[in-house]
Amino acid sequence: MPTFQHSEYLLLLFLIPVISGIFIYALYQKRSVVKKIGDIELVKLLTSNHNASAYIVKFLFITVAFGILILALANLRSIIGSEKVSRNGIDVMIALDVSKSMLAQDIKPSRLDRAKQLLSRLVEKLKNDRVGIVVFAGKAYLQMPLTGDHAAAKMYLNAATTESVPTQGTVIGDALKLCNASFNSKEKKYKALILISDGEDHDEDAVKAATQMGQDGVAIYTVGIGSPQGSPIIDETTGLLKTDKDGNTIISKLNEASLQSIAEKGSGKYVLFQNTDQVINGITSELKSIDKRNVTDDSLMNYKSWLRYFLGIAIILLIIEFFISEKKSGKNSFLKRKPAIALLFVFFGFNASAQIEKEKQEIIKGNEAYKKNEFVNALDAYGSVLEKNPENAIAKFNQGNAFYRADKKDEAVSAYENAIKKLNNPVEKSNAFYNKGVVLQQDKKLSECIDAYKNSLKLDPANEDARQNLQKALQQQKQQEKQDQKKDQNKNKQDQQKNKKDEPKPQQSKLTRKDAEEKLKALMEQEKNLQDKLHKVNASSVTKPEKDW
C-alpha cells in the first residue's frame, strides 16, 4: 500500500482552500471596482482585449500544480519492501539447543558458545540458501523465518542465550515440528535441517517427528556437541556448579544415540563436534548434494518513489499555464519570457528526479555491500546519501543495521532513533524500534530495550518477534532485580557482622577476692552512715499542713 514518507507536508494542502478564497475575493473586488468606475459598457470596451475566462483557467492550473507539488514533496512511495534477490539454492532451518546443559564446559568456552560460533560460520557458507532459526529448551520458538538475509541470521544466533527460552528441558521433538512447519509443505525436496544439541533429556516424539520430516523430503543433519564422559554445569546467575535436590553435582553427558537415531530417520547424517572446520566442511558437502532450485527472496528495505511522476505532471501543468494568454489576440513581452521560465521548472524537475535516483542507487550499493558483510563499504554508501539528504529514513535505517554488524552499538542506536523520527509508516517505525531494542538488549540495557519493544508493539501489535523479545527482556530484568536484591541482602549481612565485630567487649575484673570484699565492706559502712543522718533530719523536722490555702 503506498504511503507518504513526509506526511507532515500534506498539511500544506490546507493552503489551497485559503488561496482559492483569496482568489474569489479578488474577483469580487475586481467587479466592484468596475461598477465604481461608472459606465460598465465603456469599461467593457476598454478591456475587450482581456480574456477573463483565461485568467480563471490559469489560476486553476497553478492551484492544481501547487497541490501536486505538495504531494511530490511528501514523497508518495510504495513498499517494494525489500529488494528482490534470486538465488539457486535450498531452504535450511537451524535448530539450536539453548538449554542449561549447553553451559557445560567440556567444549571450551562452553557448548553453547562454540555451537553459536560454528553456526555463524556455517551461515556464511550458505550464500545462495535461505536460512531460518529455531531455538529450543523446554519449549521451541521460531526466532527467524526463512530468509536470504544472512547478516540478520548471524545477529539472531549471536543473541541466543539460555535465557531465550524460559522453560528448561530439551524438547527436540517440538523443535523438529516447528522447523517442519516453517518449510513449504508443497515441496518434497530442496529442504534441510541442521540440529545442534547435546541430546540430553531426549524426548520420545523426536524420532517420530524426524520420520515424518524424512517423508516430507527434509534431510536432517545432527551435530552432537559435548562429551560422553560429561561435565558439570556452571550456573550463570551464581557462578556455582548446579546441583540436584539432594545436593549432588549434576553431570551433563552427550547423548549420541538419540542424535544418531534422529539423523538416520531424517535421511541425513550425524556429526560429532571435534573441530569446527571439519564439521562445516562435512555439512556443506552434504548440502551441496541436495537438489537446488531458483528462489526469490527479500533483502533490505527499498521503495519505489512516485515523486518524479508528480513532478512531471506539475511541470506540464505549469508549462501549459505559462502559454495561456489573458489577451484575446496579439503577443506581448510576457509571453516571450514564458518559455525561459518553463525551462527553469523543467530543469528543476529533472534535477530533483536525478538526485532521488542517485540516492536510490547509493542505497542499493550499500545493501549489496551489507549482504557481502562489507560493513565499512555499506556505511560509506549510506553516509554519502545522508550527507546530501539527512532526511532519507531508508539510509538511516540501513545505516543502523550496518553499524550493529560492525559492532558499533551506540552508533546503531543513534541511527535507529533518527530513522524513527523520519519514518511515518507504522510498520516501518515498529521495525526500527524493534532493531533498536535488539541492540540495547545485546548491550544489557534492559529498561531501555523494554521501552523500545513496547513502542514497537504499540505501532504494530502483530510484530511477534518484538513480543517474544519483550518477554525475554522482562524475564532478564526480573532475574537482574533478584540478583541485585540478593547482593543488597548479602551486603546488609556483611555490614551487620562488621558492626558486631566493632562493638566493645566487656573487660574482665582485675580485682582479687580480698580487695573486692574490702570495697564492699566500705560501701556498706557508707550506706549505714547515710541512713543515720537521714533519721536525725526526719526527727527534727516540723509537720506541715496538707493544704496551703
Side-chain angles (χ1 to χ4, degrees):
M1 179 181 176
T3 58
F4 289 99
Q5 183 181 4
H6 305 292
S7 58
E8 63 273 14
Y9 293 139
L10 295 176
L11 294 173
L12 294 173
L13 291 172
F14 287 109
L15 291 175
I16 293 177
V18 175
I19 295 170
S20 300
I22 294 171
F23 178 75
I24 293 169
Y25 178 74
L27 285 177
Y28 173 78
Q29 286 293 103
K30 192 175 180 181
R31 289 174 183 172
S32 298
V33 170
V34 169
K35 288 179 181 179
K36 288 178 182 179
I37 289 175
D39 192 343
I40 296 176
E41 292 300 324
L42 179 61
V43 172
K44 286 182 177 179
L45 183 63
L46 291 171
T47 58
S48 60
N49 198 31
H50 177 70
N51 189 347
S53 60
Y55 179 70
I56 296 173
V57 171
K58 282 169 66 69
F59 172 78
L60 291 175
F61 271 93
I62 291 173
T63 304
V64 173
F66 177 70
I68 293 174
L69 285 172
I70 291 173
L71 295 177
L73 191 63
N75 191 20
L76 182 70
R77 59 185 185 173
S78 55
I79 302 176
I80 49 184
S82 328
E83 199 177 332
K84 294 293 181 180
V85 180
S86 293
R87 296 185 175 91
N88 190 36
I90 61 173
D91 289 341
V92 180
M93 286 298 298
I94 294 172
L96 174 62
D97 185 352
V98 292
S99 59
K100 296 286 187 183
S101 62
M102 292 290 283
L103 296 175
Q105 296 181 358
D106 46 2
I107 304 292
K108 299 296 183 181
S110 72
R111 294 175 184 175
L112 181 58
D113 289 332
R114 186 53 66 89
K116 287 159 62 175
Q117 292 170 10
L118 166 67
L119 291 173
S120 184
R121 288 185 56 187
L122 180 61
V123 167
E124 293 175 0
K125 300 285 186 180
L126 307 176
K127 294 181 179 179
N128 295 320
D129 303 321
R130 293 198 305 174
V131 179
I133 300 171
V134 167
V135 295
F136 67 94
K139 285 186 178 180
Y141 293 96
L142 179 65
Q143 286 293 95
M144 188 184 79
L146 286 165
T147 177
D149 191 349
H150 292 172
K154 291 172 70 175
M155 183 174 73
Y156 277 108
L157 286 171
N158 290 333
T161 66
T162 54
E163 304 302 326
S164 299
V165 180
T167 309
Q168 283 306 301
T170 311
V171 288
I172 297 178
D174 288 354
L176 294 178
K177 292 173 185 176
L178 189 54
C179 288
N180 197 27
S182 301
F183 289 118
N184 185 349
S185 59
K186 295 179 180 179
E187 294 179 339
K188 291 295 181 181
K189 50 183 179 179
Y190 318 123
K191 300 182 285 187
L193 167 66
I194 299 170
L195 169 68
I196 185 164
S197 171
D198 54 21
E200 195 171 26
D201 297 332
H202 166 53
D203 57 311
E204 297 178 358
D205 290 339
V207 176
K208 294 179 182 177
T211 304
Q212 180 61 49
M213 291 179 74
Q215 294 172 358
D216 292 339
V218 181
I220 302 176
Y221 301 94
T222 58
V223 180
I225 189 159
S227 61
Q229 298 79 22
S231 173
I233 304 168
I234 296 178
D235 193 314
E236 285 182 313
T237 306
T238 63
L240 303 175
L241 297 179
K242 289 188 74 66
T243 56
D244 59 20
K245 60 182 181 180
D246 298 323
N248 300 317
T249 301
I250 296 172
I251 303 296
S252 173
K253 298 180 181 180
L254 171 65
N255 186 351
E256 286 191 277
S258 64
L259 296 174
Q260 288 171 344
S261 177
I262 292 169
E264 181 183 350
K265 296 296 182 181
S267 303
K269 187 177 179 181
Y270 167 74
V271 182
L272 173 63
F273 179 86
Q274 293 176 323
N275 177 276
T276 301
D277 292 330
Q278 181 183 353
V279 174
I280 290 174
N281 293 335
I283 291 177
T284 51
S285 63
E286 290 288 334
L287 293 177
K288 286 178 182 177
S289 63
I290 299 176
D291 290 340
K292 308 290 189 299
R293 54 93 164 80
N294 189 48
V295 294
T296 302
D297 191 34
D298 296 337
S299 186
L300 296 174
M301 292 174 61
N302 216 337
Y303 302 88
K304 179 181 178 181
S305 175
W306 297 88
L307 184 146
R308 68 179 71 182
Y309 303 107
F310 285 109
L311 280 178
I313 295 170
I315 290 167
I316 291 170
L317 291 173
L318 290 172
I319 290 172
I320 294 172
E321 184 275 332
F322 282 141
F323 284 100
I324 295 175
S325 175
E326 293 183 43
K327 290 193 174 184
K328 291 182 179 178
S329 62
K331 296 183 179 180
N332 58 19
S333 59
F334 180 70
L335 275 175
K336 293 177 184 177
R337 295 198 305 268
K338 286 182 178 178
I341 297 170
L343 286 174
L344 286 175
F345 274 90
V346 171
F347 173 77
F348 168 77
F350 283 117
N351 187 47
S353 179
Q355 178 64 29
I356 291 167
E357 184 63 29
K358 189 175 180 181
E359 287 180 12
K360 182 179 177 182
Q361 292 302 321
E362 281 293 318
I363 290 174
I364 292 173
K365 180 182 173 183
N367 292 352
E368 290 295 331
Y370 181 92
K371 285 183 284 184
K372 295 175 183 176
N373 294 334
E374 297 172 358
F375 304 117
V376 175
N377 294 337
L379 287 170
D380 289 341
Y382 301 141
S384 66
V385 174
L386 292 168
E387 281 179 12
K388 298 170 185 175
N389 181 14
E391 302 297 314
N392 194 310
I394 305 169
K396 272 292 177 190
F397 184 93
N398 291 353
Q399 187 186 50
N401 292 344
F403 271 132
Y404 177 76
R405 297 296 299 126
D407 200 26
K408 296 181 179 179
K409 294 186 177 66
D410 292 337
E411 290 88 342
V413 170
S414 178
Y416 288 134
E417 287 174 348
N418 287 330
I420 288 166
K421 293 175 184 176
K422 308 299 180 188
L423 291 167
N424 295 304
N425 183 280
V427 175
E428 296 169 17
K429 190 174 281 194
S430 172
N431 290 335
F433 270 117
Y434 171 75
N435 283 12
K436 176 186 173 183
V438 171
V439 178
L440 291 168
Q441 192 170 13
Q442 285 291 299
D443 214 17
K444 305 299 183 184
K445 296 178 180 177
L446 295 178
S447 59
E448 295 176 48
C449 91
I450 288 169
D451 290 338
Y453 289 141
K454 285 181 179 178
N455 286 326
S456 176
L457 288 168
K458 285 178 185 176
L459 292 163
D460 182 15
N463 193 330
E464 192 59 32
D465 290 334
R467 191 181 307 282
Q468 290 183 9
N469 280 14
L470 175 60
Q471 291 175 352
K472 296 171 196 170
L474 290 170
Q475 289 167 358
Q476 289 175 347
Q477 187 182 52
K478 192 173 181 181
Q479 290 177 350
Q480 193 176 65
E481 288 173 354
K482 286 181 180 178
Q483 291 174 15
D484 293 341
Q485 195 174 30
K486 193 172 183 180
K487 286 179 183 177
D488 291 339
Q489 290 174 353
N490 292 336
K491 187 179 178 183
N492 291 336
K493 286 181 181 178
Q494 290 174 358
D495 291 341
Q496 289 175 2
Q497 290 174 355
K498 185 179 178 183
N499 292 336
K500 227 174 185 182
K501 289 179 182 178
D502 293 341
E503 287 180 2
K505 294 181 179 179
Q507 297 293 325
Q508 291 184 356
S509 175
K510 295 182 181 180
L511 294 174
T512 62
R513 184 171 181 178
K514 185 178 180 182
D515 292 338
E517 287 177 351
E518 288 180 357
K519 282 186 175 290
L520 182 61
K521 187 176 180 181
L523 287 171
M524 292 177 68
E525 187 67 29
Q526 289 177 1
E527 176 69 18
K528 183 180 178 184
N529 293 335
L530 181 62
Q531 291 293 334
D532 291 342
K533 287 180 181 180
L534 287 173
H535 282 304
K536 289 179 181 179
V537 171
N538 290 334
S540 60
S541 64
V542 180
T543 303
K544 294 182 180 180
E546 291 182 3
K547 294 183 179 180
D548 58 357
W549 68 87

